Amino acid sequence: MMKITLPFVTNLICACLVMCENAASESGTFSIDYKNDCFLKDGRPFQYISGSIHYFRIPRFYWKDRLLKMYMTGLNAVQIYVPWNFHEAMPGVYNFSGDRDLEHFLDLANQTGLYVILRPGPYICAEWEMGGPEPFLGTTGAGRNQPWAGANTLHGAHTHTHTDTITGPTLSQATYRVYFGLWEEPGASGRNPCGLLGGLPAWLLQNPDIMLRSTDPDYLQAVDSWLAVLLPKVRPWLYSEGGNILSVQVENEYGSYFTCDYNYLRHLHNLFRVFLGEDTVLFTTDGNTDKEMACGTLQGLYATIDFGTDTNVSAAFDRQRRFEPRGPLVNSEFYAGWLDHWGDQHAQVDTNKVAGMLEEMLSMGANVNMYMFEGGTNFGYWNGADHDTRYRPVVTSYDYDAPLSEAGDPTDKLLAIKDIIKRFRAVPEGPMPPPTAKFAYGFVTLKKVGRMSSLLDILSPQGPILSPNLKTFEEMKRYYGYMLYRTKLPKMLHDKTPLISPLNGVHDRAYVSVNGVYQGLLERDTTLAVNVTGQQGDQLDIVVENMGRVNFGSKINDYKGLVSSLFLGSDVLTDWQIYSLDIDEVIASGWPHSGGLDLSLEPGSEAFDGPVFYMGTLEPMGLAWDTFLKLRGWTKGHVWINGVNLGRYWPQRGPQQTLFVPGPLLSGSQPNNITVLELERASADARVLFMDRAQLNSAAGGS
C-alpha cells in the first residue's frame, strides 16, 4: 500500500529535524514569576504562543505533518487534551497504542521543537462524547493491516519513550481500534463550547446514582485509578524531567459545572502533586464570567481564562486579575473558529478579528493558546450534542474554521496568524509544508445488501435480550451506535394509529417499520409520534440511533435508546426483543464484501426506505491520496471504508456535505470496500462521489 506524504514534505521534515533542537533535551525549570507577571523558563521570561490539536481526531500517520505546520507558523507550543474514555473503554483495560499512543505524540512534538500544555482532565470538554465501545479503525474489509498506525519515528532521532504492557489491541494485531465522538454545550458567556462530561467513560453510568465531577466516592475511585495510570506516564515528559510539558491543567472549566465542589478540586490538586511533584505548574481554565472563575479556581492552581473575538480583551484579563492578582496573563482558549451543529450554517470566525485580537494580546505580554489550530474529524460515533432549548447534535467534521483545515491544509487564517507572530518572535525560516495530496476518484455505484431487520443473524449473532420492558443502551452495555427493539402489534389497526413517545423518550432518533415496511421516524424534542398501520401480531421494529450524549443541567444523565414507554394509541407496548447491534465489528471483519451474499435477493431496482445496507468498491488507481466523499441525494446514515467508520452523513440537514477520507486509509493496489448504512432513503441511482475538496457550508435545512 502506498503511503503518500509527498517528497517535498518528507525532505522538509527531515531537514527541519536535523537542523532544529528538540523542544527539550535535558531537564530545566519552568515556573511562575509573580513579581514580574510572567512565566520563567530556565530562569528567563517566557511567553508561549500555542495552538490546540487533538491527536485523537487525527490519524497517527498525519501527526508529524500537522505538528510541523504548526511549528512553521511560529508557534512554540501545542495544547492537548487526554480523553479518559479514549484510553479506558472498559474498566481497568488501558490502551495507549496506535492512534492512542500519547507518548509518541509527545515525542513528535518534542522532535519538532514544540512545548506542550497538557490538559489531562479527568473531564476534558472538547465537544468529546462521553464514550463507549469502539468502532474499529484498523483492518480493512479484506483483512489488510491498517496503515494509519504505520511507523512515524524519524530514523536516527532521539526518542523519549516510556511504554508499559497494556491490556488490549496492539499494532501487531490484524485489527486495532480507534473510536471517536464529542459533545458540547454553551456556557454562560454564550461562547463556551463545552459540555460538562466530555471524555468521561460511559461505563460510569452503570451506577445510576453516581455524581460525576464531585467527591462522590464511586466517582473518585474511578478517577484515582485512571490518573494512577496516566500521570506516571506523563511525568517523564515534564520539562523538569527532560521532556517538553511545561504546565498541566487540573480538571477543565469546572466553574461551568453545577456542583461547584471545592473538595473535589482539592482532591485532584493533591493527586496531581503526588504524581507530578511540587514544582510542576498546575493551572485551571474557566470561562469569562465571575461565577465560572469563582467555582473553577482554587488556591495553589494558577487561574487562567478563555474567550474569543467577541470579547473585550482588557475586560477579560481584568477578570483574570481579580482571581489571580499577579502572574502571567493567559488566554487558554482563544477561539479562532467554532463548531457546527446539524441544521445550522457553517460557523466561521473572521480572520481579521482573529489576527487583530491575537496581536492585541501578544502586545500585552499575554500567553495565548488558539482553540482550535486544527480540529480534525469526529470519526465513528464520537460526535456529541448540545441541549439548550432542544437537542442539537454536532456534525462529523471538527474543521472548526481553524487555521489548519480538517484535512490539515494551511488556510488564509494561518498565514494571517503567522504574519502577526512574526512581529513578536522569530519564525522558522523556510516554506510552509503544502497541503496533502487530494484526488477526485469519481463516482461509485453501490448495490443493496438488505434491510437491517433482515440481517440480524449477522449483525447481532448473540441474539436478542427478551424483556417485558424497554432497556436503555447503557443497560445493554451498547454505549454507542444502534440498537433494534422488536415487538408485536397488540391489535388490528384499521386506521392509521399513532405510535407515541409521550415523555420524549426517544434518545435520539428512531426508525419505525412494520413487517419490514418503513413507517417513518421519531426524533427527540421534535417528532414524538408517527402513524402506523398493520394487523394484530405484525412485527414492529424500531431502530434507535444514539446521536451523542448531552451532559448538562437537567440533561446530565443522558441515557440512550427508548428511555421511557411507547404507546400505540392508548396501549403501552411491552414484551420486547432487544438486539444489540455489532455493526462495526461485523464490517471490520470484512462483511458484507466477504459475506457470500446473494445480492439478487435485494434487486437494485426495488425502492427500499428505512435502515438499509449498501456496498460497493472503489477500484485501485495506483495512488492513495486524501479525498472527500459526497452522498448527494442520500438522506442520513453512516459510511465505512475498508472497515473504518468515517462517521455520520446528513446532507438533507447540512451544513456538512462531504466526509473526509484520509489517504492512508485507502489502497492504491487493492479494491477499497465501501459500506453505507442509509437510515431513511438512498439516492435514486445509489451513487456516491469522491471529490478533491471539502464541502462543509451548504446548509440544506429541514429534517
Side-chain angles (χ1 to χ4, degrees), residues 444-613:
V444 175
T445 300
L446 307 185
K447 298 179 180 179
K448 293 185 185 72
V449 176
R451 297 181 181 90
M452 178 187 286
S453 59
S454 68
L455 298 167
L456 294 180
D457 288 345
I458 297 171
L459 301 176
S460 185
Q462 70 275 17
I465 297 295
L466 305 181
S467 175
N469 302 312
L470 295 165
K471 291 183 178 293
T472 66
F473 277 49
E474 291 75 17
E475 289 174 308
M476 295 287 290
K477 298 186 179 180
R478 171 61 61 184
Y479 302 112
Y480 75 103
Y482 303 87
M483 294 205 313
L484 187 145
Y485 297 78
R486 174 173 286 175
T487 189
K488 301 290 186 181
L489 295 184
K491 62 184 179 182
M492 170 76 73
L493 304 179
H494 295 286
D495 301 312
K496 291 182 178 180
T497 303
L499 176 67
I500 311 168
S501 176
L503 299 181
N504 196 18
V506 174
H507 289 193
D508 299 299
R509 234 167 176 252
Y511 307 90
V512 181
S513 301
V514 175
N515 285 349
V517 179
Y518 184 58
Q519 306 288 304
L521 61 86
L522 300 168
E523 185 171 357
R524 183 175 182 173
D525 290 338
T526 61
T527 307
L528 306 186
V530 61
N531 288 327
V532 300
T533 59
Q535 307 289 321
Q536 183 176 6
D538 281 354
Q539 180 174 285
L540 173 67
D541 285 342
I542 304 172
V543 176
V544 178
E545 178 185 11
N546 170 3
M547 289 285 294
R549 285 178 177 81
V550 175
N551 300 304
F552 180 72
S554 62
K555 310 295 183 183
I556 190 166
N557 288 340
D558 187 20
Y559 290 88
K560 294 302 181 182
L562 298 179
V563 303
S564 63
S565 295
L566 289 184
F567 285 72
L568 186 62
S570 59
D571 297 321
V572 178
L573 294 175
T574 59
D575 298 326
W576 294 93
Q577 300 177 48
I578 306 173
Y579 292 83
S580 180
L581 302 178
D582 301 334
I583 297 173
D584 292 86
E585 294 88 337
V586 170
I587 293 176
S589 69
W591 183 88
H593 296 77
S594 61
L597 294 169
D598 181 4
L599 296 184
S600 64
L601 297 176
E602 305 287 8
S605 59
E606 183 181 348
F608 283 2
D609 289 343
V612 177
F613 283 94

Side-chain angles (χ1 to χ4, degrees), residues 316-336:
F317 282 136
D318 284 347
R319 176 168 280 113
Q320 183 194 356
R321 277 283 173 252
R322 291 201 291 275
F323 292 88
E324 201 65 78
R326 301 305 302 266
L329 298 174
V330 181
N331 185 347
S332 288
E333 287 190 6
F334 171 48
Y335 300 115

Side-chain angles (χ1 to χ4, degrees), residues 186-251:
S189 67
R191 287 294 293 172
N192 185 342
C194 295
L196 295 176
L197 294 172
L200 301 183
W203 47 261
L204 292 170
L205 292 180
Q206 291 298 314
N207 177 354
D209 299 320
I210 196 167
M211 177 66 73
L212 301 169
R213 300 179 75 192
S214 76
T215 49
D216 180 302
D218 292 333
Y219 176 68
L220 288 186
Q221 182 178 5
V223 167
D224 292 354
S225 297
W226 160 240
L227 292 179
V229 172
L230 174 64
L231 295 182
K233 289 180 173 296
V234 166
R235 180 158 186 161
W237 293 94
L238 296 174
Y239 187 68
S240 61
E241 302 282 342
N244 55 333
I245 296 175
L246 296 178
S247 59
V248 180
Q249 180 180 272
V250 176
E251 243 278 349

Side-chain angles (χ1 to χ4, degrees), residues 22-202:
N22 290 350
S25 57
E26 57 185 48
S27 61
T29 61
F30 187 77
S31 61
I32 296 173
D33 183 346
Y34 288 96
K35 180 179 179 180
N36 295 300
D37 297 331
C38 66
F39 289 116
L40 294 178
K41 187 172 73 69
D42 300 325
R44 297 181 178 181
F46 178 81
Q47 179 186 31
Y48 70 71
I49 307 173
S50 173
S52 290
I53 179 172
H54 295 162
Y55 64 93
F56 42 92
R57 283 186 167 121
I58 300 168
R60 172 181 169 133
F61 184 87
Y62 281 136
W63 288 353
K64 212 163 44 176
D65 171 76
R66 308 308 195 248
L67 290 168
L68 181 58
K69 288 169 179 172
M70 297 174 79
Y71 176 80
M72 295 301 293
T73 303
L75 305 185
N76 57 8
V78 294
Q79 186 191 87
I80 62 171
Y81 281 125
V82 181
W84 179 3
N85 54 18
F86 195 58
H87 296 283
E88 191 183 1
M90 299 298 292
V93 181
Y94 304 99
N95 189 350
F96 288 88
S97 63
D99 285 47
R100 294 174 173 79
D101 193 343
L102 170 62
E103 292 181 273
H104 181 61
F105 186 88
L106 294 172
D107 187 42
L108 288 176
N110 191 31
Q111 293 178 34
T112 308
L114 292 165
Y115 297 104
V116 171
I117 314 300
L118 189 71
R119 307 172 82 180
Y123 160 75
I124 67 162
C125 179
E127 294 83 69
W128 188 250
E129 158 56 50
M130 194 174 179
E134 318 154 57
F136 296 76
L137 254 181
T139 306
T140 68
R144 300 186 297 272
N145 286 335
Q146 175 52 252
W148 290 17
N152 270 331
T153 303
L154 297 170
H155 298 293
H158 170 69
T159 58
H160 188 142
T161 305
H162 307 266
T163 304
D164 298 331
T165 301
I166 303 296
T167 302
T170 65
L171 290 179
S172 62
Q173 294 175 311
T175 303
Y176 76 98
R177 306 172 182 227
V178 175
Y179 54 115
F180 295 85
L182 96 170
W183 81 277
E184 62 83 33
E185 72 93 30
S189 67
R191 287 294 293 172
N192 185 342
C194 295
L196 295 176
L197 294 172
L200 301 183

